[in-house]
Amino acid sequence: MRRNKSTIDNLIICCIQMGRIGVFIVLVSLLLQHVPCSAQEIDICGCSESNDSLGDFNSVDENTWPSGTTRSGDAITIPLPDDGILIFDSFTVNGYPGFPTGNATIRFELNEANTPVTLLVNGDVEIDTNDSINVNGENGRGRIGGMGGPGGFRGGDGAYQLMNFANDGGTGFGPGGGSGGKASDFVGDLDPFGIGGDGTFIGMPELLPMFGGSGGGGGSSSTNEINCSGGGGGGGGGAILIAANGSITVNGNIFTTGGGRGQRGLSACSTSGGPGSGGAIRLIAKTITGNVNGRIEARNGANSTTDGLGIIRMESFANDFPDNRTIPVATRSPSLGPLTNPLTPEVRITHLNDDNDGLVPEIPLGGFGEVDVIMTSPGPLKVDLETKNVPDGTTVEVSVKPHVGGTPKTQSVTLDNCANGECTVSTNFASLDPGKYIIEARATFQTP
């Protein structure tokens, strides 16, 4: 439950990032299982007999669009359900109503927990030339960090001494969030110092679990002049899983690009934010194909081909998609791994300090820039966590990131004597200054 309280001096405002099962990053390394049966026998999407199918989707025919879908120009936006899963009999992107030769772009409206996109298709997926599926992160918006794409992480806010009393920008959200720009590093208009750091993607090659890229850091503000505002960091690219019982044909584009750096105010005293990292794309089908017009990309928000890249993974029995049309180079596997993590590990932050105001909402909204919990005084911070299906001996890393104007602090706690795969643990931060914080937690372990 969110708490609506006014902010006064000397409050610590803690934004708990992300949401329920995906709130706190649980990184799990899983071996791919080999499927012994033939391609014809496999229900790859697990959806062949689903009663939840939305039928055949065709971008040019709005009668096939899910309820709540909207169009603005060539952009068609599909709302994501709470679990992020959409099931279709087929999925075709080939223009928009009245313009079958138009360049349609399929986007997805973020749900409350900002889950990745999961498209389960009983038949074929086709993306025509110049048409696109886009789960990009947003660009930094002035000094405000851009939102991540579905399953991605927000960019850090820029410092602006007249508004948020900070010299240094905020760290980007997510496990690889870019560092905030430091005003002490700024040495002049033409020098690239003091800018927000680039977001980086941190995740398993198997993309189990699926989540998107991390946000770029916010820029710095070296004086209290009007408009001396650092730019916000770009949001991390989102994450999308497409599993089809037929073929996936990409003659157009699939993009999960990070958001671009937010622009600074006055160049003489402030710096821009950093770009968000690329996100994650996982394609699973009997056949993956496409022509030389096709592009599958998980670049960062600076459009780099070498830095801040996400992950692209293809699993299929046959794959002739051009190997030079993916950025980064895609991992290709002839065997099909599980669609989801069979262990369903979970890490949750449940409470802050021993104060009734420290109760954490069921679905935290800090990742959207909202305030979730208001603590009544500065000082030490105790973070209570619960885990499920995370083994004994696992180290859980808890990070407290100042919204702007400070350096993140990290503590680790080791799980011990878990009962039935469930643990309750706490970690303590000795002292925090007044301000607004993002709290993140993650557990990293490897299965046998």
Side-chain angles (χ1 to χ4, degrees), residues 164-244:
N164 54 30
F165 316 111
N167 294 355
D168 299 337
T171 302
F173 295 13
S179 59
K182 302 293 185 183
S184 59
D185 294 336
F186 182 70
V187 293
D189 183 17
L190 299 179
D191 296 295
F193 299 103
I195 65 174
D198 295 8
T200 58
F201 183 92
I202 295 180
M204 296 293 100
E206 295 84 0
L207 295 180
L208 287 168
M210 284 286 290
F211 54 85
S214 297
S220 61
S221 170
S222 60
T223 75
N224 62 0
E225 294 180 56
I226 295 176
N227 293 328
C228 185
S229 58
I240 183 167
L241 164 65
I242 304 176

Side-chain angles (χ1 to χ4, degrees), residues 47-48 50-59 61 63-67 78 86-92 119-125:
C47 63
S48 64
S50 174
N51 294 322
D52 297 322
S53 176
L54 299 169
D56 296 305
F57 174 88
N58 193 311
S59 63
D61 181 2
N63 293 318
T64 69
W65 298 356
S67 177
I78 300 174
L86 293 162
I87 303 174
F88 297 96
D89 292 338
S90 64
F91 195 88
T92 303
L119 290 183
L120 305 179
V121 182
N122 190 32
D124 297 329
V125 175

Side-chain angles (χ1 to χ4, degrees), residues 109-350:
E109 182 181 343
L110 304 183
N111 57 24
E112 188 176 21
N114 193 22
T115 65
V117 177
T118 299
L119 290 183
L120 305 179
V121 182
N122 190 32
D124 297 329
V125 175
E126 298 182 28
I127 307 171
D128 281 2
T129 302
N130 296 323
D131 295 300
S132 303
I133 292 178
N134 178 325
V135 290
N136 294 347
E138 292 183 353
N139 296 336
R141 297 161 288 162
R143 64 182 174 85
I144 305 300
M147 277 300 304
F153 301 91
R154 187 177 180 272
D157 284 354
Y160 186 15
Q161 293 188 37
L162 285 182
M163 297 292 291
N164 54 30
F165 316 111
N167 294 355
D168 299 337
T171 302
F173 295 13
S179 59
K182 302 293 185 183
S184 59
D185 294 336
F186 182 70
V187 293
D189 183 17
L190 299 179
D191 296 295
F193 299 103
I195 65 174
D198 295 8
T200 58
F201 183 92
I202 295 180
M204 296 293 100
E206 295 84 0
L207 295 180
L208 287 168
M210 284 286 290
F211 54 85
S214 297
S220 61
S221 170
S222 60
T223 75
N224 62 0
E225 294 180 56
I226 295 176
N227 293 328
C228 185
S229 58
I240 183 167
L241 164 65
I242 304 176
N245 284 343
S247 61
I248 297 176
T249 302
V250 185
N251 295 328
N253 313 297
I254 301 176
F255 292 140
T256 178
T257 302
R261 59 179 87 246
Q263 296 305 305
R264 60 189 174 181
L266 293 176
S267 62
C269 59
S270 59
T271 62
S272 63
S277 80
I281 300 169
R282 186 179 176 209
L283 307 181
I284 313 174
K286 291 178 183 175
T287 301
I288 298 175
T289 188
N291 61 28
V292 295
N293 296 309
R295 291 188 298 165
I296 303 175
E297 297 184 357
R299 300 180 189 240
N300 80 346
N303 208 31
S304 173
T305 60
T306 57
D307 299 322
L309 303 178
I311 292 181
I312 300 170
R313 183 174 182 84
M314 300 177 173
E315 301 167 28
S316 61
F317 301 111
N319 188 338
D320 64 3
F321 187 82
D323 58 9
N324 64 348
R325 299 298 288 173
T326 70
I327 299 175
V329 174
T331 298
R332 301 181 185 224
S333 172
S335 60
L336 312 183
L339 294 184
T340 59
N341 187 346
L343 295 179
T344 61
E346 181 178 348
V347 179
R348 282 187 51 81
I349 294 175
T350 58

